[in-house]
Amino acid sequence: MPKLAVFVPFDPVKKTSEATATDPAGSSERIIKGAFTAVVALTATSPAAAAIADELEKQGFRVLAVAAGPAASNQIIGLIALSDPPRTDSISLISELNGLGVRTVMVTGDAPATAEIVAHAVGLKGAVCPPGKLPAGIQPEDFSVFAGVLPEGKFDLVKAFQKSGHTVGMCGDGANDAPRSARHRLALPSRPQPT
């Protein structure tokens, strides 16, 4: 039976956790779990897994991948489709805020296809900002959804909106919504439960 040699907890910047296990003969295996795009970047190409992940994301699932094998040749061995439906009161809250003249946008680390499905489910209609560097002079009116955003990117987006004269309020599940420097040395659960 393999023995755990090293464990690296989930890192929201890398979007992975990993372990190294050693069998009785001394052979080691690297096991990686995390966001599909992060894991696939560390493994051998798998067009079949990419097609399945794409289809699951288009259905609104958050897709994780698990890869294992010798360190130099990890392969995807499984996909995990997670459903994280919005709270039932999200639609009415967003509608009420909209009626009060408050522009609501969704900013998430999820894949763009998944984020778009969730946004439409809660009544956010509008464009999805392409992942990557924020466009210069970004305004809340430009996009309804910002996907694939790291915690530091959320901070940058808030600052950009404030710089253009907007008052910004933010809510989220906590641990992954604050920039890494604000979480440094805090012992937080990996996925706090909504209250």
Side-chain angles (χ1 to χ4, degrees), residues 67-90:
S73 60
N74 276 138
Q75 294 184 16
I76 293 185
I77 60 169
L79 298 176
I80 303 166
L82 299 175
S83 176
D84 189 9
R87 290 173 45 143
T88 56
D89 59 352
S90 297

Side-chain angles (χ1 to χ4, degrees), residues 3-155:
K3 187 175 185 179
L4 181 64
V6 177
F7 176 73
V8 179
F10 179 75
D11 180 338
V13 174
K14 292 181 179 179
K15 296 188 178 188
T16 61
S17 62
E18 74 176 80
T20 302
T22 307
D23 67 19
S27 298
S28 66
E29 182 172 46
R30 181 180 181 202
I31 303 110
I32 307 166
K33 176 188 67 107
F36 178 79
T37 53
V39 173
V40 80
L42 302 170
T43 63
T45 304
S46 174
I52 294 168
D54 183 58
E55 185 57 37
L56 290 168
E57 287 173 353
K58 288 178 180 172
Q59 295 175 42
F61 290 100
R62 177 179 297 152
V63 181
L64 303 181
V66 178
S73 60
N74 276 138
Q75 294 184 16
I76 293 185
I77 60 169
L79 298 176
I80 303 166
L82 299 175
S83 176
D84 189 9
R87 290 173 45 143
T88 56
D89 59 352
S90 297
I91 295 171
S92 60
L93 175 62
I94 290 170
S95 177
E96 185 179 338
L97 289 169
N98 196 21
L100 295 170
V102 176
R103 170 82 176 160
T104 303
V105 299
M106 183 172 85
V107 186
T108 179
D110 287 342
T114 301
E116 188 171 22
I117 295 285
V118 173
H120 285 282
V122 298
L124 288 176
K125 308 293 184 217
V128 177
C129 183
K133 186 172 169 55
L134 290 173
I138 188 90
Q139 297 290 320
E141 300 80 20
D142 296 341
F143 301 99
S144 291
V145 180
F146 298 84
V149 181
L150 296 173
E152 289 77 6
K154 294 175 184 183
F155 179 78

